[in-house]
Amino acid sequence: MNLPIPLARAQTGFRPEALFRPGAVVLVGDAALPETAIILGNLAAGGFQGRLFAVGVAADGFECFGAIEDLPVSPDLAVLCLPPEAQGQAMAALAAKGCFAVVVPVAAPDLVALCEATGIRVFGAHSFGLCLPTVGLNASLAHLPPKAGKLALLCQSAAMARAVLDWATGEDLGFSHIIGIGTNQGIGFALALDWLARDAQAGAVLLDIRRIKNRRMFVSALRATARTRPVVALRPGGRQSDASGTADAVMEAALRRAGVLRATGFEDMLSAVETLARVRPARRTGPDAMAGDRIAIVSNGQGPAQLAADAVVAGGGRLAAWGTAAAQALAVLLPPASTSNPLILPPGQSHRLAEAAAILATMPEVDAVVAIHAPAAGADSMVAANAIVAAARATRGAPVLVGWLGHATAEAGRQMLGRAGIAVFNAPEAAVRGALHLAMDRRNRAAAAELPPQDVLRLVPDRTAVRGIIDAVRQSGRHALTEQEALAVLAAYGQPVIAGEAAADAAEAAEVASRLGFPVAVKLASPDLPRKTDIGGVSLNLGDAGAVRLAAQAMLDRAARHHPDIRLHGLLVQRMAGGGMPRGHELRLRLGDDSMFGPWISFSRGGTTSDFEDDIAFDLPPLNRTLALAMIRRTRGARLLAGFRDLAKVDLDALADSLVRLSQIAVDFPEIADLIVNPLLARGAEVVALDASLTLRPAGAAGVLAIPPYPAELSQGWTARDGRSLMVRPIRPEDATALAEAFTQLTPEDVRWRFFSQIRALPPEQVVRMTQIDYDREMALVAVEQRPGQPDRLAATARLIRDPGRDSGEFAVVTLPGWKGQKLASHMIRRLLHWGEAQGIRTVVGQVLADNQPMLGFVRSLGFSVKRSAEDDEVMEAHINLRPPVASP
């Protein structure tokens, strides 16, 4: 391995701008490598607006040099096309020259070590390259020149990138960015996503994901990006790595939490991109419009329309329905067409397809219109296509997606529609799939931004008891807990469990059963039997002591005879959970682990056949009640929980609480590898765990959540000067209502000083952004009055937002009028600065209006320096250093 001498850290200086807004680019290449010639040609033909250098190769359009040291300026970005044995020296020379952003499109087996030694950040190895069409940069292995546009592509596979580029060129779609992550040994998805989240040039974002390095950074950046634009993700190889489908389901859950649409395959991805890159959803109000899946179909032929209608129903969408008045209006406007959905134009009326689609798009009962055109004898299809283009430009309302059927006579019309920016497909089902993608994207992003209710499940778990159980299990040399131990862990978190006692033998089991009361269940107690029924280790509904003795002894004898190697810890005797009518539901909860996204939670029907259940909902911890309820309702079996024949109705809030408790166990004890509750008996408000198994990770191993948990350890009480008490704690999503109410108590002057403008109310999307935060990159503290039996009431808020990928952050603070003069703001800012130091933040800045003298005096008293902004005379900038830079050796 050819490693350079490490550079002093003070010399490193990677900047994201060097990647995405370069002014000078150098290709360091070996002419013998095929990648060198491809990238040389693409760079030269791209029309880059900055300076292009070449080292080691000569080409027209470049300033050519023999060595990196000879370059007249420090390039922002380098493309390294060298064999592995030459890469170390080149990267050391680039770092010495001041270039710390590199793209590596070739093999680089020592890339991680080279980056660590030089401080350089890379896309690669085997990166497709980097395309920024808006500035003419094409430093990639592309076979076609990408057109400038709004689509951003982040890919690991170069072949996938070329396939998407080829398709987009045919569809006349352009790109703002094409970023080749490659094998993800250097810069990963998170930094690129953080950039795209703030870059106005980027529209819809497309991800090709095979491997992520840091699940928490990835989900955090993904969530930030999806707040402002559609994101579609594809994962090749998911089923290959896990044929059960669990890995795919967990990834879909992670993407859903971030507000991202997951594509199931290449065709599905292209359909989603075709829609989301060209179409914006309609703004509809009312509970029936939230799903966004009410689709109206209009066609010039019955067969294609019926295929489209079938696709809507099969895809889980709804055929839009309108009332008598709307039908009468359609009859007047579109005689003699039908007035139902699908709406069928009569023969010879193909040219009115655009008119009909435009009318349907204005109807409040319609979220999307699918217009289907089939070739018609004697009709000029280009007239119909031109009419659709004109109507699409003039129409305001629901989006119109077009299915333009055929090939020989249809291709010209499809191309014209695509060039006009219309989402056009070659089949009715594909157009419907596009409309359903639009609805799914809307639902995912709305769910990610949903404001939860104020009620919070206030857990008071006995963590000490759980720690004692786990320590005892480890001391005994086990990784698996017995059923009784696993149930005790659940009980420590407030989860009702079935009463039971251990028994050493059959005789003691009969005594325990008599004490508990009949009927009872008797089970073998063994850490080696997660499924005791597999060996006949469970007997139910035993009605007297004699039956218990016989069943218990038979179980023990059978185990000793057929399974002599398992460890037996006697028997567990449990009172049978409430007999009689109505019958309870047997459910299953599980905490598991995924290699890419870490701990996950699933919910499904339970019982002895639950391993074959395919109706399973997945999500990632941490969960709150809102997320847990949504998880339950995603299963088809959720309909049974409302009560069905002899099955009882279930209190969904009580069931959701069980999921929240399981989530908190995952947060508090990351050494748990697997925890299964099966069955969980649910009937009315009774939700009780009847059986559980729990397995620990190896000593020292811990699961890492993809989503940071609530940092409850930062909560502290505080007493004001006048003796009033508050709790200062991190903000949480359930504070949304309290935050909106607190805003109404601010004076107009406070609002202008805090938000730099006069606004009457916080928009819901801003409330979401301020309450649903990523605790790894941002901290918001709230000072609250805790009122028994009522939601917390806010007295002040303060936040510190870390700049992604940097060691600086920006602060803000506001105190309600009734709490000013109590030193509350000082306490909260000092707490935030302490948090920032722990996170590695070196500098904190804030903007203050120049006439806000109270705030200027406040920040100065905390040690901030203040100067006038160079960009706005009415704004002052406050600045403080939390930690001095590391001195050069």
Side-chain angles (χ1 to χ4, degrees), residues 182-203:
T183 55
N184 202 358
Q185 292 174 267
I187 299 171
F189 288 95
L191 184 141
L193 285 167
D194 277 329
W195 181 272
L196 294 176
R198 305 188 304 273
D199 194 332
Q201 293 180 340

Side-chain angles (χ1 to χ4, degrees), residues 238-254:
R239 282 282 183 166
Q240 180 183 4
S241 62
D242 179 12
S244 72
T246 296
D248 265 4
V250 172
M251 177 178 180
E252 187 165 346

Side-chain angles (χ1 to χ4, degrees), residues 790-806:
Q790 299 182 64
D792 292 344
R793 184 163 57 197
L794 269 62
T797 65
R799 65 185 63 238
L800 177 56
I801 302 174
R802 182 173 188 164
D803 296 330
R806 301 178 185 273

Side-chain angles (χ1 to χ4, degrees), residues 663-696:
S663 169
Q664 192 60 47
I665 292 173
V667 171
D668 292 344
F669 292 95
E671 61 260 58
I672 295 176
D674 191 74
L675 200 170
I676 301 175
V677 184
N678 183 28
L680 180 77
L681 183 70
R683 177 175 45 208
E686 177 191 19
V687 180
V688 58
L690 305 187
D691 200 344
S693 64
L694 193 157
T695 305
L696 301 174

